Amino acid sequence: MAPVTGTAHDTAATAPSGEGGAAPARRSGARDLAAAERRRERRSRRYQRRSRWYRRDVRWSPYAFVAPFFLFFAAFGLFPLLYTGWASLHRVELTAPTDMEWVGLRNFARLLEDEFFWNALKNTFTIGVISTVPQLLIALGIAHLLNYKLRGSMFFRVAALTPYATSVAAATLVFVLMFGRDYGMINWALGLAGIGPVDWQNGAWTSQIAVSTIVVWRWTGYNALIYLAAMQAVPNDLYESAALDGASRWQQFVHVTIPSLRPTILFTCVVSTIGATQLFGEPLLFNGGGGATGGADHQFQTLGLYLYEQGWVNLHLGRASAIAWTMFLILLLIGAVNWLLVRRLRKSA
């Protein structure tokens, strides 16, 4: 009996201590569960906050990245465009730009009757044609040569781009010396061929050819590199197939390269035409100290020069704004023609 009694006594003695140890253990377990729940809630809130920031970042960051461009465009592109459009409907002088008198479309009507405006438009068209066509043809030929595996091809590519990096003033100064009537290099070379000296600056066609030569020299290399990049994207399979059919190098160039470059050629034509419409620096500096008249008889005065003469020499800001908007409408017309041609090319492709 003694062992039974001893066992009962031990059980009775240890029972209270067992209940007292389980309670703190349960409370400790509950606290751990609560702490874990709080940590889980904090992680969930942190995740949701990061997720919100991530969604905002993905949604608004592209707008933030492109915003500087649109801010500068609004300040230096859109505002001048709207301001000149408003000024073109007023009589306003450059010396008092806030004193405006409403004249409606009179500035545009005067342009239609202005022989100097039509002369500038004709000169712009002529110089544009005799500079753009040779420029793009030469650029196409240079790109075709650079497309071959030449030794030192990188040097030739950099050399082709060098005129583009030259300033207009420096290039025009050199060409003015070359086209000088008495001591110019061009007349010296013509003299060797038995041709008499040419007055490049005072003749109508000669002055426009001289100005066009400067434009051709500056922009040919730039267009050549554009053509070269497009040529290197033409698949070699086309040339291999043409070679297997017995096509010569020239036939491959005409029947493979040129059709593959049609969108690029159209792009360079449009860009060069836009550049010719805005031609300003070359004819201004070619005239030397003659100002913006474009020669004694306005023989190489472009629309850009005529705009400058009206706005900054004669101080007629309203008329200059009308000329600027006319040039803008011409560029829109060129853009529309480009869009129609691209659309037609895509349909034919």
Side-chain angles (χ1 to χ4, degrees), residues 39-99:
R39 285 195 298 272
R40 192 162 44 247
E41 289 178 357
R42 282 198 297 272
R43 283 198 298 269
S44 177
R45 286 197 297 270
R46 194 179 304 121
Y47 173 77
Q48 290 177 356
R49 189 164 55 249
R50 288 180 179 175
S51 180
R52 270 199 309 274
W53 278 109
Y54 176 75
R55 287 197 301 271
R56 290 175 183 171
D57 182 36
V58 171
R59 183 175 181 181
W60 297 109
S61 290
Y63 295 101
F65 289 142
V66 301
F69 166 76
F70 286 101
L71 288 176
F72 280 101
F73 174 74
F76 302 105
L78 186 60
F79 173 73
L81 183 67
L82 298 178
Y83 179 78
T84 53
W86 180 250
S88 67
L89 304 176
H90 294 77
R91 178 184 292 116
V92 54
E93 300 297 319
L94 187 63
T95 53
T98 56
D99 296 335

Side-chain angles (χ1 to χ4, degrees), residues 85 260 297:
S260 301
D297 297 326

Side-chain angles (χ1 to χ4, degrees), residues 12 19 33 55 75 101 103 141 145 177 192 216 256 258 277 285 294 301 312 320 326:
E19 290 175 0
L33 287 175
R55 287 197 301 271
E101 179 186 352
V103 294
L145 294 176
L177 295 175
L192 294 178
V216 170
V256 177
I258 297 296
T277 307
L285 297 172
Q301 186 180 48
W312 277 263
T326 304

